[in-house]
Amino acid sequence: SLPGLTNLSPSGVAFNQRQDINITANVTDNTNVSVVRANITQPAGDSVIVTLIQSSTDIFNATYADADQLGNYTLQYLANDTSDNVNDSSIIYFRVNDSHAPNVTSVASAPTTGDQGATFNISAVVIDNANISQVFMNITGPGTGVYLQMRNVSSTYNELFNTTTSTAAGIWTATIYANDTSGLINRTA
């Protein structure tokens, strides 16, 4: 008869990206279990086979440490006994979510100082493991602040801050905010 597969995990659970995932199955058989494997199909469609190790009488487990892709994973258990009976009918699902906010670096202004009426090109490099939703800057200083949406040119976001003769003289600070499609936000200090 086919090996029995019960108490399968993880099932319907969400994990953070790059988090180790414990794969467990209770495998019983009327002869001896030869091997237990998990065929993991990643969101991009590629598959990885993980061999589970027997940790007690009927318990087999392994750690899956390659959950880099965001999205839904399919895990098919394959239990084979010494009589070459294979049970491959158990399938479970889990999800890997984004837990990393965008990284904002290399904030710069060209020029760094100027007279009233000057135009400043503010830029920042923004990188994320998912997709960037928006990048904007909040410019504060003497007088009224301004929010400006920044434009993307190959991971470098930039926007012009135009001063006028009516813009108050003094020190202005640009704080860059980056938001990814998972809703995670990072900002420069």
Side-chain angles (χ1 to χ4, degrees), residues 71-132:
N72 297 318
Y73 287 68
T74 303
L75 192 155
Q76 178 182 24
Y77 286 90
L78 309 160
N80 189 5
D81 68 15
T82 54
S83 299
D84 209 24
N85 296 309
V86 178
N87 182 346
D88 61 358
S89 63
S90 296
I91 297 174
I92 63 171
Y93 306 92
F94 63 91
R95 178 166 183 76
V96 173
N97 295 320
D98 182 13
S99 61
H100 301 283
N103 188 19
V104 180
T105 61
S106 304
V107 178
S109 173
T112 56
T113 61
D115 295 327
Q116 286 177 307
T119 298
F120 297 86
N121 183 11
I122 312 294
S123 63
V125 173
V126 180
I127 299 173
D128 192 51
N129 61 328
N131 293 317
I132 301 293

Side-chain angles (χ1 to χ4, degrees), residues 25-108:
N26 186 331
V27 184
T28 56
D29 193 59
N30 60 353
T31 60
N32 290 319
V33 175
S34 173
V35 66
V36 179
R37 292 189 175 104
N39 181 6
I40 302 168
T41 304
Q42 299 172 335
D46 47 327
S47 292
V48 176
I49 302 289
V50 176
T51 301
L52 282 71
I53 305 299
Q54 189 170 9
S55 60
S56 65
T57 305
D58 296 332
I59 306 296
F60 291 77
N61 56 39
T63 300
Y64 177 62
D66 194 25
D68 286 335
Q69 296 177 24
L70 302 177
N72 297 318
Y73 287 68
T74 303
L75 192 155
Q76 178 182 24
Y77 286 90
L78 309 160
N80 189 5
D81 68 15
T82 54
S83 299
D84 209 24
N85 296 309
V86 178
N87 182 346
D88 61 358
S89 63
S90 296
I91 297 174
I92 63 171
Y93 306 92
F94 63 91
R95 178 166 183 76
V96 173
N97 295 320
D98 182 13
S99 61
H100 301 283
N103 188 19
V104 180
T105 61
S106 304
V107 178

Side-chain angles (χ1 to χ4, degrees), residues 163-180:
T163 63
T164 65
T165 53
S166 63
T167 303
I171 297 174
W172 291 80
T173 303
T175 302
I176 311 298
Y177 293 85
N179 185 13
D180 67 15

